[in-house]
Amino acid sequence: MGRAENLVIAGPSGTGKSHFTEGLAQAAIEKNLRVAWFTLETLSAAIGKSKVDGSTARTVARICRADLIVIDDIGLLRVGEDAAEAFYRIIDAAYERRSIAVTSNIRPSGFDTIMPKTLAGASTDRLMHHAHLVTTTGDSHRLAEALAGKGVVPLN
């Protein structure tokens, strides 16, 4: 984070992407660093609300005051122009100034399959320029626990 580098973790559901990022965020908080946590949907909602009163630049600046900006679970659903724009605005504003951690079910090269190509390309270009890419593999830990009988505890 001190070097404004990014982290992108991509892989199948249930392979520990969000869990790892939660640990990173907790470590940052314990060092008195500021963390902002969003899903792409909540980020889009925050930026969308600011468009109503013309405070988009102020909202983006407030988000970018965090030392670590997390955008969790990209790739589960196709996103509209508003969500793609919100993603781009944060990536662009934080570029070379703040660290961003992104978790996704798809690699960044595939972001253009879920959002408009122009915004996906510009976002990915900036995000990956100073990024560490981690790819997770394997089966879902949640599904494995459920199949092993460690999921739901029966009511008595």
Side-chain angles (χ1 to χ4, degrees):
M1 284 178 265
R3 299 186 309 204
E5 294 174 346
N6 301 325
L7 173 65
V8 177
I9 306 176
S13 291
T15 55
K17 301 177 300 294
S18 296
H19 187 75
F20 180 86
T21 307
E22 287 171 7
L24 177 66
Q26 182 61 40
I29 291 167
E30 288 172 4
K31 291 185 182 232
N32 294 318
L33 298 174
R34 294 166 297 191
V35 176
W37 188 288
F38 298 92
T39 63
L40 194 51
E41 182 179 25
T42 60
L43 178 63
S44 178
I47 300 293
K49 285 179 188 175
S50 71
K51 284 183 172 183
V52 173
D53 64 7
S55 64
T56 302
R58 220 172 25 249
T59 299
V60 169
R62 181 178 39 80
I63 291 168
C64 288
R65 281 195 293 265
D67 299 291
L68 173 63
I69 303 162
V70 177
I71 306 171
D72 193 27
D73 280 338
I74 295 175
L76 295 175
L77 302 168
R78 289 190 59 75
V79 298
E81 185 88 21
D82 288 344
E85 179 187 333
F87 182 62
Y88 169 76
R89 283 181 182 270
I90 295 301
I91 299 297
D92 184 55
Y95 179 64
E96 294 187 328
R97 293 179 190 89
R98 296 290 189 229
S99 293
I100 297 176
V102 171
T103 68
S104 177
N105 289 64
I106 58 176
R107 295 176 65 87
S109 60
F111 284 0
D112 63 355
T113 64
I114 61 160
M115 64 180 67
K117 288 187 184 307
T118 304
L119 288 169
S123 299
T124 301
D125 180 62
R126 287 162 179 79
L127 176 67
M128 296 306 296
H129 184 218
H130 301 292
H132 301 272
L133 176 63
V134 176
T135 304
T136 63
T137 59
D139 297 326
S140 167
H141 296 287
R142 290 184 292 267
L143 183 57
E145 284 185 7
L147 294 174
K150 297 177 183 174
V152 176
V153 176
L155 298 174
N156 291 331

